[in-house]
């Protein structure tokens, strides 16, 4: 009788759960928690980056004017871009000029000012505030102020130069001086990068400088072998963000063209004034804007945007692979 009332052999009640099954369940719960926390960011990335990117690639192969349905035309937009567009190469060269000159000059001055502020013994907080404040000025306001300051007839800059017997240039009204004038503006508003360099320089261990000094290293050698290796990731961040901003350079050049040309308002009908003087300030994104929102050639504007995205991606990937500054292996 006792044998017939025994527990069935297939029952698992009271048996311990295998360790591998517990680990798998815990890993699944952690994965679901991570995806739940990341879901707002992933949703925003899909809506505001992935979908516009895919849509731009599709429209770049079409003729589209916002009114009629997109008409598939294959590679004709790209063929026109590379072989027939009269201004795209002018805009490209102007944009590359800002990448080559504006980015390194701005970084050089920001790093130099940060280095001086690190060594300041008195009123360092005041000087940091003074050099950072211009970065808080809205870009449009700073450009308008600069154009008036550098006005060749009434601006105080040329008047001060005249006191010393120097004939000031036409600045924003001269194709040869318009881009250097914007570089001066970029140096003036370098506070955002300067404050990052300042934090990085303050984080360099003082013991390394003392050890280098005991080994007989001079100032340049300490800069080369102590400072630069310690702030390389910050330098790379400044270069990458600076290049991206230069490739998308729009507001400063557009406002400078409008104000210098006597058009203080940027809006409808001002596309023809972009690039003044003599197309010297016509950047790639301005030409994209003209094609997309002045002539409503949205298919061709999408082709311009896709090409800009590809060029920027290739440049940034090459830069990261070259320096490997954001990986522990690269900084070791």
């Amino acid at each position: 009788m006792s044998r017939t009332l025994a527990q069935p052999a297939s029952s698992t009640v009271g048996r311990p759960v295998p360790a591998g099954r517990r680990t798998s369940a815990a890993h699944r719960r952690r994965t679901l928690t991570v995806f739940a926390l990341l879901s707002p960011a992933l949703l925003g990335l899909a809506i505001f980056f992935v979908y516009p990117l895919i849509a731009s690639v599709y429209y770049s192969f079409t003729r589209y004017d916002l009114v009629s349905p997109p008409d598939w035309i294959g590679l004709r937009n790209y063929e026109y871009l590379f072989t027939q567009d009269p201004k795209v190469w002018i805009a490209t060269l102007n944009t590359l000029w800002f990448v080559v000159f504006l980015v390194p000059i701005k970084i050089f001055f920001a790093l130099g000012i940060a280095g001086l502020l690190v060594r300041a013994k008195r009123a360092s907080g005041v000087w940091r505030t003074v050099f950072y404040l211009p970065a808080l000025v809205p870009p449009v306001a700073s450009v308008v102020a600069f154009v008036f300051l550098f006005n060749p007839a009434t601006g105080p800059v040329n008047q001060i130069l005249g006191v010393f017997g120097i004939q000031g240039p036409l600045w924003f009204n001269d194709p040869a001086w318009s881009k250097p004038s914007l570089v001066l503006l970029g140096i003036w508003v370098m506070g955002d990068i300067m404050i990052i360099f300042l934090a990085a320089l303050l984080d360099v261990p003082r013991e390394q400088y003392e050890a280098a000094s005991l080994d007989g290293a001079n100032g340049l050698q300490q800069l080369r072998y102590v400072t630069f290796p310690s702030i390389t990731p910050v330098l790379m961040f400044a270069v990458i963000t600076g290049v991206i901003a230069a490739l998308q350079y729009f507001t400063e050049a557009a406002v400078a063209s409008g104000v210098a040309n006597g058009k203080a308002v940027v809006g409808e009908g001002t596309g023809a004034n972009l690039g003044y003087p003599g197309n010297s300030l016509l950047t790639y994104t301005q030409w994209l804007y003209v094609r997309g929102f002045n002539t409503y050639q949205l298919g061709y504007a999408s082709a311009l945007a896709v090409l800009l995205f590809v060029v920027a991606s290739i440049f940034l990937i090459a830069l990261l692979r070259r320096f490997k500054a954001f990986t522990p292996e690269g900084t070791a």
Side-chain angles (χ1 to χ4, degrees), residues 283-319:
T283 60
Y284 190 89
T285 49
Q286 287 182 12
W287 188 235
L288 191 156
Y289 171 84
V290 170
R291 287 295 193 172
F293 300 101
N294 276 84
T295 60
Y296 294 102
Q297 296 173 309
L298 291 179
Y300 183 66
S302 297
L304 290 169
V306 170
L307 180 63
L308 177 62
F309 175 77
V310 171
V311 171
S313 299
I314 292 174
F315 177 81
L316 295 180
I317 291 173
L319 200 61

Side-chain angles (χ1 to χ4, degrees), residues 206-282:
R206 298 294 99 184
E207 295 80 7
Q208 295 186 10
Y209 289 112
E210 295 171 0
S213 180
L214 290 175
D215 290 338
N218 56 31
L220 289 177
Q221 290 171 331
Q222 292 181 20
L223 183 69
R224 168 67 179 85
Y225 296 105
V226 177
T227 304
F228 280 154
S230 299
I231 66 170
T232 297
V234 179
L235 276 172
M236 289 307 303
F237 170 79
V239 171
I240 290 174
T241 55
V243 169
I244 292 175
L247 290 174
Q248 300 174 353
Y249 205 65
F250 184 94
T251 303
E252 290 83 352
V255 175
S257 296
V259 177
N261 197 23
K263 307 291 184 183
V265 178
V266 177
E268 185 179 358
T270 59
N273 297 319
L274 292 176
Y276 176 86
N279 290 325
S280 61
L281 293 184
L282 181 66

Side-chain angles (χ1 to χ4, degrees), residues 111-161:
L111 184 59
I113 295 297
L116 293 176
L117 291 177
V118 168
R119 297 176 179 274
K121 302 297 182 183
R122 294 180 179 178
S124 60
V126 174
W127 287 112
R128 293 174 188 178
T129 305
V130 168
F131 284 106
Y132 180 71
L133 275 180
L136 300 179
V137 180
V140 174
S142 61
V143 175
V144 172
F146 248 66
V147 172
F148 281 109
L149 286 173
F150 286 85
N151 186 294
T154 60
V157 174
N158 274 8
Q159 292 180 359
I160 294 174
L161 293 176

Side-chain angles (χ1 to χ4, degrees), residues 84-141:
Q84 301 179 40
D85 192 323
K87 290 189 177 180
V88 68
W89 295 113
I90 297 175
T92 301
L93 292 177
N94 288 335
T95 303
L96 291 178
W97 192 97
F98 286 113
V99 172
V100 172
F101 291 99
L102 176 60
V103 176
I105 291 176
K106 189 175 179 179
I107 290 176
F108 174 80
F109 277 92
L111 184 59
I113 295 297
L116 293 176
L117 291 177
V118 168
R119 297 176 179 274
K121 302 297 182 183
R122 294 180 179 178
S124 60
V126 174
W127 287 112
R128 293 174 188 178
T129 305
V130 168
F131 284 106
Y132 180 71
L133 275 180
L136 300 179
V137 180
V140 174

